[in-house]
Amino acid sequence: MLKRLLPFLILALGIAGFLALRLTRPEAPPAVPQERSWLVEALTVTRAEHVPVLPLFGELVAPERVSLVASVAARVAERPVSDGQRVSEGTLLVALDDADLLPPLRQAEAEVADLEAQVANERLRHDNDRRALEREQELLASANRQLERNRSLVERNLTSQADLDTARDAVARARLSVTTRESAVAEHPSRLASLEARLARARATLEMAQRDRERGRVLAPFDGVVSNVQVAPGDQVAARAPLLSLYPAQGLELRARVPHRYQAELASSLERGEILAATAEEGGQRFVLSRLAGDSDPAGTEAILTLDGPAGGMRPGVLAAVLLERPSVADTLAVPFSALHGSNLLYRIDDDSRLERRRVERLGETLSPEGERWLLVRAAGPVEGLAPGDRVIATHLPNAMQGLRVEVVEEQAETLTENLAEEAGQ
């Protein structure tokens, strides 16, 4: 009988023990709801004078580039330089074959010599005509006197009519000779002017041939860099055909489009003589704003920046991004782009670690102490001011709003460090 009741007895004791343990368990503290906080990074407000920068993207050009061409149709005899080579002033770049340059020069020299001889002959002929005219005028006068004597003799029946006719013929021949000679003397100025005009034209042709002969040896007009080589020794080139280009290593310019809203500001700075520098984002080359282009279009006006210092491997035609320094602005705040919410909102962290909305005015970009591009802002009004020492969040929160509770990453790290130190001491 006892063996049958033993299992039930054990089961009853177990239930009684469970009930006793349940009744004597400690009471759990009531759950208190806690507000969630968001981890953010904070930035301390420091208002100061900052230099805003304007990102520009433009093309490097060589305004003093010259394109050298062939003076005449000829064969290329020499081309001792290569594309990209630096040369000094007076260096031979291209030489055309003398076999193509000398024949026109010799022909022009011969033409000038021939016309000079013709001019000299015309002057000699004129002198002879003048002397001959004097003699022929004397002969005409003598013939007239002989005619008068024959007429007097005929009237007195002392000579025949045939002698009178012969005297008339002599006068006519002498008068014809005088007329012909006078015509030759009178035509001398026009003949001489014609020859001198032909001589001047021949001399001009000779000068052109001499010029082409000299230009057949293309020399560097200045120290520069060879580019755009288009010929090789042995090539047959036409007159005015391009040979190569040369640009000076100094004086390179960057032409970049500037939006219209910055044009007046930059123009005023240039008029005041302010130096606005720009730095290439890659390479660090320095440029100085020299002027604005004379023409504009709906996209803006081109700013012309002169390279100040070594090119550092940059060549004309390269596209470069630069940061142009604008006139400095006082009482401004530089913040990372992640700190801006919307188009004009920053969030200040109050003493209760809650967010307060602050409106700001965007002034452009500036460089942080580490050289990164940050946003430059200032308070939109007196009410929206940010006092020095205030903290603003530098983390972009998609759900940021007025009164949102946050926890700064640095403060959380300090709290964690203190807790670990207390646990280690215990």
Side-chain angles (χ1 to χ4, degrees), residues 8 20 27 38 57 63-64 76 96 99 105 115 126 135 162-163 191 207 225 239 256 273 276 360 367 375 400 411:
F8 295 101
E27 291 292 336
W38 302 84
F57 188 75
E64 302 301 325
V76 177
L96 301 181
L105 178 60
L115 287 170
H126 177 62
R135 303 293 180 271
D163 292 336
R191 291 196 306 269
E207 291 176 359
V225 180
L276 301 182
V360 293
L367 295 179
L375 189 65
E411 294 179 353

Side-chain angles (χ1 to χ4, degrees), residues 40 81-82 105 135 158 205 258 279 354 357 373 385 412:
V40 295
V81 298
S82 302
L105 178 60
R135 303 293 180 271
L158 297 177
T205 303
V258 175
T279 305
R354 296 185 180 276
R357 184 185 294 115
R373 288 165 58 178
Q412 185 193 38

Side-chain angles (χ1 to χ4, degrees), residues 163-231:
D163 292 336
L164 180 61
D165 292 340
T166 300
R168 286 195 182 102
D169 291 342
V171 169
R173 285 193 298 273
R175 184 175 290 114
L176 178 61
S177 297
V178 169
T179 302
T180 303
R181 193 67 66 182
E182 287 176 345
S183 177
V185 172
E187 291 174 357
H188 166 72
S190 61
R191 291 196 306 269
L192 182 62
S194 176
L195 289 173
E196 288 178 342
R198 291 169 56 190
L199 178 60
R201 185 165 55 248
R203 284 173 175 166
T205 303
L206 175 60
E207 291 176 359
M208 293 173 60
Q210 291 173 339
R211 179 202 63 192
D212 293 341
R213 172 73 175 83
E214 294 172 357
R215 291 181 178 178
R217 292 181 62 82
V218 182
L219 306 179
F222 48 75
D223 297 347
V225 180
V226 178
S227 66
N228 196 26
V229 177
Q230 300 191 31
V231 295

Side-chain angles (χ1 to χ4, degrees), residues 205-336:
T205 303
L206 175 60
E207 291 176 359
M208 293 173 60
Q210 291 173 339
R211 179 202 63 192
D212 293 341
R213 172 73 175 83
E214 294 172 357
R215 291 181 178 178
R217 292 181 62 82
V218 182
L219 306 179
F222 48 75
D223 297 347
V225 180
V226 178
S227 66
N228 196 26
V229 177
Q230 300 191 31
V231 295
D235 284 349
Q236 184 69 30
V237 296
R240 314 303 300 172
L243 301 175
L244 49 80
S245 298
L246 184 72
Y247 66 88
Q250 305 298 325
L252 298 180
E253 293 180 349
L254 183 73
R255 302 180 72 97
R257 188 76 58 183
V258 175
H260 282 300
R261 63 179 178 271
Y262 300 109
Q263 181 178 345
E265 174 187 293
L266 298 180
S268 299
S269 298
L270 290 173
E271 291 176 359
R272 293 192 298 268
E274 298 179 3
I275 297 177
L276 301 182
T279 305
E281 294 191 50
E282 294 185 6
Q285 291 83 0
R286 187 175 185 272
F287 296 84
V288 175
L289 179 65
S290 59
R291 62 193 183 278
L292 296 176
D295 296 329
S296 184
D297 58 34
T301 303
E302 277 192 333
I304 302 174
L305 301 99
T306 304
L307 180 64
D308 183 19
M314 298 183 80
R315 293 289 188 270
V318 69
L319 299 178
V322 299
L323 296 177
L324 174 64
E325 295 180 357
R326 296 164 50 199
S328 60
V329 184
D331 196 25
T332 53
L333 171 65
V335 296

Side-chain angles (χ1 to χ4, degrees), residues 18-215:
F18 172 75
L19 293 176
L21 291 174
R22 185 175 181 181
L23 292 175
T24 58
R25 68 180 178 180
E27 291 292 336
V32 178
Q34 293 183 350
E35 182 181 3
R36 180 181 178 182
S37 61
W38 302 84
L39 292 178
V40 295
E41 294 181 352
L43 179 70
T44 302
V45 173
T46 304
R47 293 188 300 186
E49 182 175 356
H50 292 87
V51 177
V53 295
L54 177 62
L56 297 177
F57 188 75
E59 179 182 1
L60 195 69
V61 299
E64 302 301 325
R65 179 197 296 269
V66 294
S67 297
L68 304 175
V69 300
S71 57
V72 295
R75 187 182 69 87
V76 177
E78 299 179 62
R79 197 217 66 204
V81 298
S82 302
D83 199 345
Q85 180 177 340
R86 288 180 176 267
V87 296
S88 301
E89 181 179 355
T91 302
L92 177 64
L93 304 178
V94 177
L96 301 181
D97 196 345
D98 282 341
D100 297 312
L101 300 174
L102 287 178
L105 178 60
R106 299 290 180 261
Q107 182 178 359
E109 290 174 345
E111 183 71 16
V112 169
D114 178 50
L115 287 170
E116 286 177 344
Q118 292 186 42
V119 169
N121 183 60
E122 176 60 27
R123 290 196 174 100
L124 180 61
R125 175 184 174 185
H126 177 62
D127 292 339
N128 292 334
D129 285 342
R130 289 173 58 190
R131 288 192 293 269
L133 178 60
E134 294 176 357
R135 303 293 180 271
E136 289 173 349
Q137 287 174 342
E138 293 175 357
L139 292 174
L140 176 60
S142 177
N144 283 326
R145 289 193 299 271
Q146 184 63 36
L147 177 61
E148 291 299 326
R149 284 196 295 270
N150 285 335
R151 283 176 180 171
S152 176
L153 292 173
V154 168
E155 291 176 356
R156 291 181 291 171
N157 293 322
L158 297 177
T159 186
S160 65
Q161 185 66 34
D163 292 336
L164 180 61
D165 292 340
T166 300
R168 286 195 182 102
D169 291 342
V171 169
R173 285 193 298 273
R175 184 175 290 114
L176 178 61
S177 297
V178 169
T179 302
T180 303
R181 193 67 66 182
E182 287 176 345
S183 177
V185 172
E187 291 174 357
H188 166 72
S190 61
R191 291 196 306 269
L192 182 62
S194 176
L195 289 173
E196 288 178 342
R198 291 169 56 190
L199 178 60
R201 185 165 55 248
R203 284 173 175 166
T205 303
L206 175 60
E207 291 176 359
M208 293 173 60
Q210 291 173 339
R211 179 202 63 192
D212 293 341
R213 172 73 175 83
E214 294 172 357
R215 291 181 178 178

